[in-house]
Amino acid sequence: MKNIKNICCIGAGYVGGPTMSVIAQKCPEINVTVVDLNEKRIAAWNDDNLDNLPIYEPGLAEVVEEARGRNLFFSTEVDAAIDKAEMIFISVNTPTKTYGIGKGMAADLKYIELCARQIARVSTTDKIIVEKSTLPVRTAEALKSILVNTGNGVNFQILSNPEFLAEGTAVEDLQNADRVLIGGDIDTTEGTEAVQALVDIYAHWLPEERILITNVWSSELSKLTANAFLAQRVSSINAMSELCEKTGADVNEVARAIGMDSRIGPKFLKSSVGFGGSCFQKDILNLVYIAKSLSLDEVADYWEQVIIMNDHQKRRFAANIVKTLFNTVSGKKIALLGWAFKKDTNDTRESAAIYVADYLLNEQAEIVVYDPKVTEEQMYADLDYLGTRTEEENRKLLKVVSDPYQACEDAHAIAVLTEWDEFKTYDWEKIYERMLKPAFVFDGRNLLNLHELTKIGFKLSSIGKPIVEEARKEPVLAV
Ligand code: UDX
Ligand code: ADP
């Protein structure tokens, strides 16, 4: 059981794809097969042109190029890969439930359960099953129950190995992880052996002191806790941003000042239009659901406030655009720069941009979007998913362009929603000349240089900065 020669990963998404690519790169003697039901996605992973990989992550194409065809394979033949592997990672999606009990809060474990049943049906040899998807605490127990009761009498060991990679830095996060967490049945010899087998894989490139071993429940809960703490920091600084705008403080200066306290630290203190991504909201809702189901109402309310604050931040950003544009955006062209939930990814799940666009469309704005990595198809899919208006209306009211200058031409206002580096390098004088006046810019990422843009003539409104009419003096603290 201990010697792993073949790994199978079910799910070739944002977690499974990069994680397995790095494992294959670092463990050339292990065959890694990533399987998915989605044929289009697998074809894209196999595309000769590395620009067509289904996921954009800096450095990923190079890793795939090195390992693909050597010991990294992408396939739709799920059963064959399961049967051959000694270790199976489950990296399928666990979205928030959209129906029934726990709707809007609990994680939907449908895909996980289907995987477990498939593994049980197909397996003819002992397997180590590794939970990679973010799962509610005690999912391993459910997995075990399905595997043991429906399997062919083979032995399964279940490990929890939550993924902490952040999108946009996935390859770096994997290659140089702060820590790897492995939860297993450490009270038994078989469980300890299974844990060791996974430790041996990560030990190919990470020092052993960064590999933490816990029981399964601690590992599962640590993942939810880490995301809840990170999201809470963002909501905390966002709460301060509103106070800053009203009082004349500058949220960047406040963040810098508190971040230099080594107990607080400087990371995750960037005020923004609101956090997005596939994890933060989902995991907190999940935490809230678990707490409520255990009658821990104060615990549930405490964490729910992080989401309430985030929703408020997105809404107040959009409302401020309407208010500033003389209380109406009806028929006005508004350019959105950025649609991804953060820079350096083409992922748009829960992106603040979707909600800001929806709000402005309800106010009858005409929206033009530019994002360097997100496709038009994805943007419409995101809006259609909200179900606020018909697909035809979404396509009529929101246009997608591939040139940022075209997006801004004749616009009443620009809203920066993703912190793409390239936005800083634009010829803002040229953009100013081609916009309607007053030329409003709403910087939801504190990305642009307030001083310079104000000098050009823009009316710039940045999250967490006092609203200014005239060029502000250089900031007291360099940020
Ligand atoms: C997160 C966790 O960081 C990662 O460990 C976990 O595995 C998955 O969830 P991810 O969602 O990829 O990763 O991105 P992250 O960098 O955490 O950003 C999440 C959101 O918070 C983004 O919308 C980002 O723009 C926003 N954010 C982050 C801020 O608004 N301010 C900050 O200071 C940091
Ligand atoms: P994550 O961010 O967690 O990686 P994604 O949605 O990007 O989530 O990826 C999950 C992938 O899992 C999808 O490509 C989906 O097609 C795949 N998937 C879901 N269920 C199964 C299954 N039973 N067998 C194979 N692939 C699956």
Side-chain angles (χ1 to χ4, degrees):
M1 188 113 164
K2 264 186 82 176
N3 196 5
I4 307 295
K5 294 198 185 70
N6 295 286
I7 287 177
C8 163
C9 172
I10 307 181
Y14 283 90
V15 173
T19 310
M20 292 305 124
S21 299
V22 170
I23 289 183
Q25 181 198 33
K26 300 290 185 186
C27 309
E29 81 286 7
I30 300 177
N31 277 321
V32 180
T33 307
V34 191
V35 292
D36 203 297
L37 298 170
N38 184 335
E39 289 178 8
K40 216 171 125 197
R41 212 165 203 182
I42 290 297
W45 279 111
N46 282 322
D47 202 307
D48 286 338
N49 181 352
L50 291 165
D51 289 338
N52 292 339
L53 294 183
I55 284 164
Y56 172 72
E57 276 293 339
L60 179 62
E62 289 77 4
V63 178
V64 171
E65 186 173 31
E66 182 185 333
R68 197 176 60 184
R70 178 189 72 187
N71 64 325
L72 174 65
F73 307 95
F74 295 92
S75 161
T76 51
E77 294 189 15
V78 184
D79 286 1
I82 290 175
D83 192 31
K84 196 171 154 203
E86 297 93 34
M87 183 178 272
I88 300 170
F89 287 79
I90 302 185
S91 297
V92 300
N93 35 337
T94 48
T96 304
K97 270 186 91 174
T98 53
Y99 55 89
I101 295 178
K103 178 179 171 184
M105 303 210 85
D108 193 343
L109 298 181
K110 185 167 69 181
Y111 303 107
I112 297 280
E113 180 169 343
L114 285 172
C115 275
R117 292 191 183 277
Q118 193 164 5
I119 294 169
R121 181 171 50 76
V122 171
S123 298
T124 51
T125 51
D126 294 353
K127 313 275 182 210
I128 299 173
I129 310 297
V130 186
E131 295 179 352
K132 206 58 176 147
S133 318
T134 311
L135 296 167
V137 186
R138 304 232 157 225
T139 304
E141 205 165 61
L143 269 179
K144 187 162 200 137
S145 168
I146 293 168
L147 289 168
V148 171
N149 289 306
T150 58
N152 304 317
V154 301
N155 292 314
F156 293 104
Q157 277 299 323
I158 306 198
L159 304 180
S160 159
N161 174 219
E163 190 45 71
F164 294 106
L165 66 82
E167 287 173 29
T169 52
V171 174
E172 164 67 17
D173 292 345
L174 286 160
Q175 290 178 335
N176 192 19
D178 286 348
R179 79 326 201 167
V180 166
L181 189 54
I182 300 176
D185 193 359
I186 42 184
D187 296 331
T188 65
T189 317
E190 298 78 15
T192 310
E193 273 178 15
V195 168
Q196 190 56 44
L198 189 53
V199 169
D200 289 345
I201 289 174
Y202 286 109
H204 276 72
W205 74 96
L206 291 171
E208 295 227 2
E209 61 273 14
R210 285 200 223 161
I211 305 175
L212 304 183
I213 297 166
T214 65
N215 73 35
V216 177
W217 319 131
S218 299
S219 167
E220 289 183 332
L221 187 59
S222 298
K223 167 74 182 185
L224 294 186
T225 309
N227 278 340
F229 270 57
L230 291 169
Q232 182 205 42
R233 277 176 76 96
V234 179
S235 273
S236 295
I237 198 71
N238 281 345
M240 301 320 291
S241 74
E242 194 171 10
L243 200 58
C244 287
E245 287 164 30
K246 294 276 188 286
T247 56
D250 177 331
V251 76
N252 282 353
E253 293 171 357
V254 173
R256 183 149 195 261
I258 64 166
M260 285 172 76
D261 184 327
S262 60
R263 293 167 303 175
I264 296 175
K267 294 184 181 162
F268 267 72
L269 288 179
K270 271 180 98 74
S271 178
S272 68
V273 55
F275 61 72
S278 67
C279 286
F280 282 2
Q281 172 157 319
K282 182 186 77 180
D283 287 354
I284 293 179
L285 287 174
N286 205 345
L287 200 61
V288 169
Y289 183 73
I290 294 168
K292 275 198 178 139
S293 44
L294 296 169
S295 301
L296 306 177
D297 290 342
E298 288 77 8
V299 177
D301 290 349
Y302 177 76
W303 287 110
E304 192 166 16
Q305 199 60 35
V306 174
I307 304 283
I308 292 171
M309 190 62 227
N310 196 49
D311 287 341
H312 171 66
Q313 188 77 347
K314 292 183 271 191
R315 224 177 11 253
R316 86 178 180 88
F317 180 84
N320 181 40
I321 297 180
V322 178
K323 192 172 129 229
T324 310
L325 267 64
F326 317 107
N327 285 320
T328 177
V329 290
S330 178
K332 291 182 180 170
K333 177 175 172 183
I334 299 182
L336 304 189
L337 294 183
W339 189 268
F341 80 97
K342 63 187 239 188
K343 74 170 178 178
D344 291 341
T345 176
N346 61 347
D347 194 350
T348 64
R349 285 177 287 181
E350 291 301 331
S351 178
I354 305 168
Y355 298 94
V356 171
D358 191 54
Y359 187 106
L360 295 174
L361 289 175
N362 281 343
E363 293 289 333
Q364 302 184 338
E366 286 175 16
I367 293 186
V368 181
V369 194
Y370 166 76
D371 186 288
K373 290 287 174 201
V374 180
T375 62
E376 175 173 334
E377 189 189 357
Q378 185 60 49
M379 293 184 201
Y380 287 132
D382 291 338
L383 273 182
D384 293 345
Y385 184 76
L386 295 182
T388 316
R389 61 194 74 70
T390 64
E391 295 186 6
E392 292 70 39
E393 282 174 310
N394 281 334
R395 279 149 194 78
K396 195 168 132 234
L397 294 170
L398 182 138
K399 301 283 177 220
V400 184
V401 295
S402 54
D403 172 22
Y405 294 94
Q406 190 191 341
C408 300
E409 187 143 9
D410 293 327
H412 284 81
I414 297 172
V416 177
L417 300 178
T418 311
E419 73 283 24
W420 287 104
D421 289 331
E422 64 171 65
F423 297 165
K424 289 187 278 194
T425 65
Y426 289 171
D427 182 344
W428 283 96
E429 302 221 8
K430 182 167 136 190
I431 292 175
Y432 180 75
E433 277 159 27
R434 297 178 179 187
M435 276 179 74
L436 298 184
K437 310 294 174 333
F440 292 103
V441 175
F442 299 88
D443 186 353
R445 295 288 182 168
N446 271 329
L447 184 76
L448 305 173
N449 188 315
L450 181 66
H451 190 66
E452 273 171 25
L453 263 74
T454 312
K455 223 159 67 187
I456 294 174
F458 285 105
K459 302 278 179 213
L460 185 65
S461 184
S462 295
I463 289 277
K465 304 232 178 189
I467 296 138
V468 280
E469 283 301 318
E470 289 175 22
R472 201 166 168 267
K473 303 255 175 337
E474 286 302 324
V476 182
L477 294 168
V479 283

